[in-house]
Amino acid sequence: MKKVWIFALLAVAMLSGCQSVQYGDATASETVNTDFGSTDLQMIAAKMVDDLLVFPPIVQITAQRRPIAFVDRIKNKTTEHIDLESVTDTIESKLINSGKFRFVDMSVVERVRQQLEYQRDSGMVDDQQAMVMGRQVGAEYMLYGNMSSIVKRDSSTKDVYYKFTLKLMHLETGIIEWSGEKEIRKSKSRGWIGL
Amino acid sequence: MKKWLVLLLLPLVLVFTGCSSSNMSAIEEQDDGTRATYLKSNNSLLYSRLGIRDPKMTMAGDLMRAQATLENRWKFKLDFQYKVKWFNADGFEIAPEGRPWTTVVMPGRTQLNVQASAPNPTATRFEIWVQE
């Protein structure tokens, strides 16, 4: 009986030894469950940027200059809480790094105003070197869109369909110059023993 | 007593098998020029079952676009992931974390078109990496 206890202890020790923290590839395919995940975010961003940059009218617009755009919010029409700002941040980064677009960031307008007022009014900043108000450049295009989902389930299967739509509108004319979509389908089935 | 021993050791063996990670060595590039240039993998078994056809590059303005057809040469379905990597003229990979691994399931003896656009105009060539 003593030996059994020894083996049991050994087993527990070895099992706990298998638990470890590891760094993984951030771009690896993530399939923990059917909820919106990192792979979905990366796939959406890659597809949107690919489509936008090779669309012939956009190629023409960006051939000689780098238009300025801003990202409006993406409407979340799904039933999940999804950080869609993270998706648009990735898209914005890719577009900036492509060298084809420049962006203005509406989320920091108030802080920029405070800094400019500080430079102008505080008396702490050399007048010659202070940044001057009223010289920002207006955005020419707006990126906006929405994300929706359809979820279906029965006793053994859950099927989730995501659709992400992004549009690029010319602010002066209101014309939508480009629109892109990415669809994702994920399903999960329970095993025969209910796991 | 022996029964107890087997009962205790069996799960341990299974657990250790599950915890060990496969250590795949980089495969040698094969003489099949096209495949060796465009298709890369650290998994020699998967690599041997996949082929690549009609790799093409075209320009969209000054951005390079790539397309290639992956071919499942095996008669059974292949469940794997692929990723398009872009390189500049100096051989540096551009935006290494820019694209995710994409999961695909290819039925036996089928083909799949893969397309991608370069992250910026400095790209001059691409590779399609596959892994299980």
Side-chain angles (χ1 to χ4, degrees):
Chain A
M1 198 61 190
K2 213 174 184 181
K3 282 183 181 173
V4 172
W5 278 106
I6 290 168
F7 278 123
L9 268 173
L10 265 174
V12 170
M14 286 173 165
L15 281 172
S16 57
C18 279
Q19 293 174 357
S20 62
V21 176
Q22 288 180 328
Y23 283 102
D25 179 359
T27 60
S29 192
E30 175 265 308
T31 53
V32 175
N33 56 32
T34 54
D35 293 349
F36 190 82
S38 61
T39 302
D40 304 319
L41 184 156
Q42 291 162 353
M43 284 199 300
I44 286 170
K47 172 78 162 53
M48 292 296 113
V49 173
D50 274 10
D51 284 4
L52 174 61
L53 293 181
V54 299
F55 184 55
I58 301 297
V59 171
Q60 205 173 8
I61 290 167
T62 58
Q64 301 297 326
R65 61 194 185 90
R66 295 166 62 204
I68 300 164
F70 82 97
V71 182
D72 189 40
R73 71 191 186 92
I74 305 289
K75 265 189 214 164
N76 182 2
K77 294 179 176 176
T78 71
T79 51
E80 283 178 61
H81 171 74
I82 299 172
D83 179 11
L84 288 171
E85 199 176 332
S86 185
V87 182
T88 53
D89 281 350
T90 305
I91 292 171
E92 187 180 303
S93 297
K94 284 173 182 285
L95 289 175
I96 291 170
N97 293 330
S98 72
K100 299 294 178 187
F101 280 91
R102 292 176 292 171
F103 280 83
V104 289
D105 190 344
M106 298 309 292
S107 67
V108 292
V109 165
E110 195 49 43
R111 274 176 283 162
V112 170
R113 183 201 303 277
Q114 284 171 6
Q115 176 56 217
L116 291 176
E117 283 174 355
Y118 165 79
Q119 292 190 17
R120 186 190 62 193
D121 303 333
S122 69
M124 301 287 284
V125 179
D126 182 349
D127 285 346
Q128 302 294 317
Q129 293 185 22
M131 297 291 111
V132 180
M133 265 199 181
R135 290 192 183 169
Q136 288 195 356
V137 182
E140 196 179 347
Y141 293 96
M142 177 170 83
L143 267 176
Y144 67 104
N146 62 65
M147 179 150 171
S148 56
S149 70
I150 299 169
V151 181
K152 288 199 168 182
R153 54 162 65 89
D154 63 16
S155 56
S156 61
T157 308
K158 183 181 180 187
D159 183 276
V160 185
Y161 166 85
Y162 291 109
K163 190 171 86 170
F164 184 92
T165 308
L166 192 67
K167 295 175 183 178
L168 182 75
M169 177 193 276
H170 188 263
L171 285 172
E172 202 167 272
T173 61
I175 292 171
I176 297 170
E177 296 281 2
W178 167 85
S179 179
E181 276 186 2
K182 172 67 182 169
E183 296 170 298
I184 295 171
R185 161 153 272 125
K186 297 163 92 174
S187 57
K188 188 177 185 179
S189 302
R190 270 194 203 158
W192 62 276
I193 52 172
L195 294 172
Chain B
M1 199 62 192
K2 277 182 181 173
K3 201 176 172 184
W4 276 103
L5 191 64
V6 171
L7 281 173
L8 281 168
L9 287 179
L10 188 63
L12 286 180
V13 170
L14 291 173
V15 164
F16 276 113
T17 315
C19 281
S20 66
S21 62
S22 55
N23 185 15
M24 297 174 293
S25 57
I27 52 150
E28 296 286 319
E29 289 196 353
Q30 297 188 358
D31 292 335
D32 178 351
T34 308
R35 198 157 69 121
T37 307
Y38 294 101
L39 188 65
K40 301 284 172 76
S41 179
N42 288 327
N43 185 323
S44 52
L45 186 62
L46 177 63
Y47 184 81
S48 68
R49 288 170 176 169
L50 278 172
I52 190 161
R53 283 188 176 194
D54 302 329
K56 289 174 187 161
M57 284 190 278
T58 184
M59 300 301 286
D62 54 2
L63 275 186
M64 192 169 273
R65 287 185 77 189
Q67 178 181 287
T69 305
L70 288 178
E71 182 185 27
N72 179 3
R73 297 170 167 178
W74 203 30
K75 61 183 171 184
F76 301 108
K77 77 167 183 182
L78 272 180
D79 192 341
F80 65 98
Q81 300 172 20
Y82 75 85
K83 183 179 190 174
V84 180
K85 297 184 178 186
W86 290 93
F87 299 87
N88 67 15
D90 298 323
F92 281 81
E93 186 179 352
I94 305 166
E97 295 187 352
R99 305 188 77 88
W101 287 93
T102 305
T103 302
V104 287
V105 179
M106 284 180 75
R109 311 268 188 227
T110 56
Q111 297 184 343
L112 172 78
N113 276 328
V114 173
Q115 287 188 344
S117 303
N120 63 46
T122 64
T124 56
R125 67 182 181 89
F126 74 97
E127 292 173 356
I128 299 174
W129 281 74
V130 290
Q131 68 177 21
E132 273 193 326

